[in-house]
Amino acid sequence: METQDAIPITARPYSERQHIVVVPDGPAGAAERDADKPEWAPMLEKVARAVAMTTSPIGYALVKLMDRSLDAARDQGITILPIGSDEAATLTFPPGHPKPGRVLYVGHPTLPSVYYPAASFHRLTFEHKLSEAVRLLLGLGATHIEVEREYGWSKEFAARLNVPLGVPGESVGIGGGTTRASEGQVLFTARLRNKVTPAVPSGLVWYPHEETWKTVADARLQYGLQEFSLTVNYEDDFGVDASLEASLAGTRIGLGGKFVSHEATSWRMVGTFDEADASSS
């Protein structure tokens, strides 16, 4: 039977691997990995697992008691999965990370191998979703894209994002320089000479969960849609909120920078596709 430790982190349920901290491999790391467990926990775990092998109600109860005790003891209520540096090497972190034993990392909701520092989780996750929406529209042949704020994060936040649409508030044209976009809720705007054969790009991870995105793609590919309106929503905070920092008080683990709070956000992307008849491709 495969033990829990032998299961790759990317194969575990999101609820089990959402929060991680990287610790050194070897004896020193083992000590850190057990630092948050009560002294009696390893003994109880061995006894409970052994009894549970009999599938008896008592064994099941002991396992549940042990699990609850470890969860309650670990970082003031936050379940954190400690992983070694070797396993961390199979994951993707932002440049300069991971920082062993000092930073709490939160797993990307749709990419099991990607982890962000808790402080920048919301900015980087939203940035990834917005960038994927841009990739989708470019793959479908968009020649004009304008991103408008409906509610939530505004221009100040947009200025910190790294998306392939140039500088917020400017119109970007290939070979044509830039011009100032209209004031108001317009965050990004781009004009492109896009002559690709319309197709849905490979490797999209948000797309399967976004029915309206699929509708735009189908309308473009099947019926030659010429104008589009596509919304990028970011409503779920995934449990990464301001209480996270308070819960880490008294531990050696930080958030990895200044925490960017979640803000329910909806940005609308409007524009046009290449005039070529996509339905004939």
Side-chain angles (χ1 to χ4, degrees), residues 247-258:
S247 298
L248 291 175
T251 73
R252 295 176 300 166
I253 302 172
L255 299 180
K258 183 178 179 181

Side-chain angles (χ1 to χ4, degrees), residues 8-269:
I9 186 172
T10 54
R12 299 187 184 191
Y14 185 64
S15 60
E16 294 181 8
R17 60 172 184 81
Q18 183 182 16
H19 304 111
I20 69 169
V21 63
V22 178
V23 298
D25 289 309
E32 284 207 39
R33 287 191 290 274
D34 290 335
D36 292 324
K37 299 180 181 180
E39 293 181 359
W40 47 261
M43 178 182 68
L44 177 58
E45 181 173 1
K46 289 180 181 178
V47 173
R49 298 293 178 190
V51 176
M53 292 292 289
T54 67
T55 66
S56 70
I58 295 176
Y60 178 80
L62 284 173
V63 170
K64 298 303 290 183
L65 174 62
M66 179 271 299
D67 287 341
R68 287 197 298 270
S69 298
L70 295 182
D71 287 345
R74 198 170 293 165
D75 295 296
Q76 301 183 30
I78 299 176
T79 301
I80 298 177
L81 178 66
I83 67 168
S85 54
D86 284 348
E87 187 167 21
T90 67
L91 305 175
T92 300
F93 297 88
H97 293 272
K99 296 180 179 179
R102 293 295 179 264
V103 175
L104 178 70
Y105 295 96
V106 182
H108 191 287
T110 59
L111 288 172
S113 64
V114 174
Y115 278 81
Y116 298 139
S120 53
F121 171 81
H122 289 302
R123 178 179 66 82
L124 293 174
T125 302
F126 181 75
E127 176 181 289
H128 182 266
K129 187 172 186 179
L130 180 66
S131 295
E132 180 169 297
V134 173
R135 280 188 59 211
L136 172 64
L137 294 174
L138 294 178
L140 294 173
T143 55
H144 177 217
I145 301 175
E146 191 167 272
V147 182
E148 305 170 349
R149 173 184 179 272
E150 294 191 316
Y151 58 84
W153 286 318
S154 57
K155 284 186 176 181
E156 292 74 18
F157 179 83
R160 299 195 297 271
L161 298 181
N162 181 23
V163 293
L165 285 176
V167 179
E170 291 186 346
S171 177
V172 181
I174 296 179
T178 63
T179 58
R180 180 63 54 185
S182 61
E183 295 297 327
Q185 299 299 303
V186 176
L187 302 175
F188 299 92
T189 177
R191 296 185 182 276
L192 309 124
R193 291 197 293 269
N194 190 354
K195 298 297 182 181
V196 301
T197 300
V200 174
S202 61
L204 302 183
V205 295
W206 295 100
Y207 178 79
H209 309 284
E210 297 289 335
E211 294 302 320
T212 57
W213 295 18
K214 294 178 186 178
T215 300
V216 170
D218 288 342
R220 171 62 173 161
L221 298 175
Q222 301 298 323
Y223 306 105
L225 181 70
Q226 294 298 300
E227 298 182 353
F228 62 83
S229 175
L230 182 148
T231 301
V232 179
N233 289 320
Y234 191 72
E235 302 286 348
D236 195 341
D237 67 4
F238 302 100
V240 182
D241 54 30
S243 66
L244 197 62
E245 187 170 18
S247 298
L248 291 175
T251 73
R252 295 176 300 166
I253 302 172
L255 299 180
K258 183 178 179 181
F259 183 67
V260 177
S261 300
H262 171 265
E263 186 170 345
T265 296
S266 180
W267 288 3
R268 190 164 64 102
M269 309 179 76

Side-chain angles (χ1 to χ4, degrees), residues 263-279:
E263 186 170 345
T265 296
S266 180
W267 288 3
R268 190 164 64 102
M269 309 179 76
V270 299
T272 57
F273 291 117
D274 178 45
E275 293 182 359
D277 186 3
S279 61

